[in-house]
């Protein structure tokens, strides 16, 4: 069995996402003129069954997101309590109310990030219950999700894996350099555009509604680590620790302190069992804790 291979429910979910992302078999909206995105959104929205689907509009591929049901708050309260008990504000849940509020949040965040010069889908048209955005690909050239690239690189060996992983680190650093933050900075939400630039997707919630900028940016780093640490732990833990240390060397001190606090609070998790029979969630937490601990020891020794 290949220890670098992702599996379980997560892999099935991502493969389902890949299939669902294929352009929906719908024609241009009747009566919509070329470039009339607002009319396309108005006509197509009630015909779309899924909350998110891609369509062909003339020669373009576009994405239509419709307001789904509003989300309950009970799960957020439980997660918030767990974060308080652990003393980790950066992992406290970010409310995503769903519905029209999520549509408004995503449109606002996409416009903010685009104005900062970052590669995100463009908002083509918006109404209360729906959003039409551009695809980050080009004619005949699709984007590639960074998660997929990491999986492929892992099969080629540790050096290839680390090279792709560092691209994600650099992409997050670029966002923070602009004074911005992401929403869920997992590898599945970072995409390589045809020109090689990393773009960003999925902004239905906004951490800044409940966190400071430093907390939001620390959350970005930890989210990326959470989605990739297992692969690194299996392939090249020492080298990954060195790259992680280098990536954080230029990070704002306030952000570094929050990540260091997470490393201290998660020290116990380094001793969790490594056996796969304890479940992938246990393995993932253990891998994050070990990588954070390695960085924390190195950074502490550098300061002393």
């Amino acid at each position: 069995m290949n220890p670098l291979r992702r599996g379980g429910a997560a892999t099935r979910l991502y493969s389902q996402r890949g299939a669902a992302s294929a352009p929906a078999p719908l024609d241009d909206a009747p009566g919509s003129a070329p470039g009339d995105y607002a009319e396309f959104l108005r006509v197509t929205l009630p015909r779309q069954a899924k909350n998110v689907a891609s369509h062909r509009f003339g020669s373009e591929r576009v994405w239509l997101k419709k307001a789904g049901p509003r989300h309950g708050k009970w799960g957020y309260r439980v997660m918030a309590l767990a974060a308080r008990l652990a003393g980790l504000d950066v992992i406290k849940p970010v409310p995503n109310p769903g519905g029209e509020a999520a549509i408004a949040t995503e449109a606002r965040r996409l416009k903010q990030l685009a104005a900062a010069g970052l590669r995100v889908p463009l908002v083509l048209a918006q109404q209360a219950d729906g959003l039409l955005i551009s695809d980050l690909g080009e004619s005949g050239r699709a984007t590639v999700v960074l998660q997929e690239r990491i999986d492929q690189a892992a099969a080629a060996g540790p050096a290839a894996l680390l090279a792709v992983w560092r691209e994600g680190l650099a992409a997050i650093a670029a966002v923070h350099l602009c004074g911005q933050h992401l929403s869920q900075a997992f590898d599945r939400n970072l995409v390589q555009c045809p020109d090689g630039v990393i773009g960003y997707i999925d902004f239905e919630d906004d951490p800044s509604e409940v966190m400071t900028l430093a907390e939001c940016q620390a959350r970005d780093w930890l989210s990326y680590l959470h989605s990739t640490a297992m692969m690194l732990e299996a392939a090249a833990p020492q080298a990954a620790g060195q790259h992680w240390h280098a990536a954080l060397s230029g990070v704002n001190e306030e952000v570094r302190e929050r990540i260091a606090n997470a490393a201290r609070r998660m020290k116990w998790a380094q001793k969790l069992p490594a056996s796969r029979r304890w479940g992938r969630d246990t393995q993932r937490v253990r891998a994050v804790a070990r990588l954070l601990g390695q960085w924390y020891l190195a950074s502490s020794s550098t300061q002393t």
Side-chain angles (χ1 to χ4, degrees):
M1 183 176 294
N2 183 357
L4 300 182
R5 184 182 179 86
R6 301 196 209 208
T11 298
R12 290 193 296 273
L13 173 61
Y14 298 137
S15 64
Q16 290 167 3
R17 278 191 173 205
S21 66
L26 294 178
D27 299 324
D28 291 354
S32 58
D36 192 349
Y37 299 117
E39 179 64 9
F40 182 85
L41 174 61
R42 186 189 68 80
V43 174
T44 307
L45 182 63
R47 302 168 59 208
Q48 178 173 297
K50 297 178 180 179
N51 286 342
V52 182
S54 62
H55 303 273
R56 294 294 181 189
F57 180 47
S59 61
E60 299 178 71
R61 183 184 188 185
V62 296
W63 291 85
L64 195 158
K65 306 188 77 170
K66 64 187 300 184
R70 294 185 62 83
H71 300 163
K73 295 183 178 180
W74 175 246
Y76 293 112
R77 293 192 181 110
V78 173
M79 292 175 64
L81 176 60
R84 284 200 300 271
L85 292 175
L88 287 174
D89 286 342
V90 294
I91 66 169
K92 65 186 177 185
V94 176
N96 177 357
E100 294 182 359
I103 293 294
T105 296
E106 178 138 23
R108 173 173 52 80
R109 296 280 358 260
L110 287 173
K111 291 173 183 176
Q112 286 176 345
L113 293 168
L118 297 166
R119 185 71 62 86
V120 293
L122 298 177
V123 176
L124 304 175
Q126 178 185 357
Q127 58 188 56
D129 56 347
L131 183 67
L132 190 69
I133 59 178
S134 67
D135 185 77
L136 289 178
E138 298 173 359
S139 179
R141 303 170 67 195
T143 60
V144 182
V145 178
L146 192 66
Q147 183 207 37
E148 182 180 338
R149 292 190 60 222
I150 287 176
D151 286 345
Q152 293 171 346
L161 170 62
L162 288 168
V164 177
W165 184 65
R166 289 199 305 270
E167 291 183 35
L169 294 176
I172 292 173
V175 173
H176 297 175
L177 190 63
C178 296
Q180 297 293 325
H181 64 280
L182 298 174
S183 176
Q184 299 179 32
F186 303 126
D187 56 357
R188 68 173 183 263
N189 291 330
L190 304 178
V191 296
Q192 184 185 43
C193 300
D195 62 359
V197 174
I198 299 293
Y200 315 90
I201 60 173
D202 197 353
F203 296 98
E204 292 185 356
D205 54 40
D206 184 359
S208 68
E209 293 179 353
V210 294
M211 299 180 183
T212 66
L213 178 60
E215 290 172 334
C216 291
Q217 293 181 345
R219 181 188 180 89
D220 285 346
W221 291 114
L222 294 175
S223 295
Y224 185 62
L225 195 62
H226 180 269
S227 65
T228 57
M230 272 184 60
M231 303 283 281
L232 299 166
E233 175 74 7
Q238 290 299 124
Q242 295 170 4
H243 291 310
W244 178 258
H245 191 278
L248 297 187
S249 61
V251 168
N252 178 289
E253 185 60 34
E254 197 175 354
V255 176
R256 284 173 59 88
E257 177 52 38
R258 280 161 173 75
I259 297 174
N261 182 54
R264 292 191 294 266
R265 296 282 184 174
M266 294 184 67
K267 185 177 180 180
W268 62 272
Q270 297 180 42
K271 299 180 180 180
L272 287 170
S275 173
R276 296 189 66 172
R277 66 191 180 95
W278 289 89
R280 295 182 65 81
D281 286 341
T282 299
Q283 289 183 299
R284 186 174 291 109
V285 171
R286 179 180 183 271
V288 171
R290 285 168 62 86
L291 187 51
L292 280 175
Q294 186 182 139
W295 164 78
Y296 182 65
L297 287 175
S299 60
S300 298
S301 63
T302 300
Q303 294 173 1
T304 57

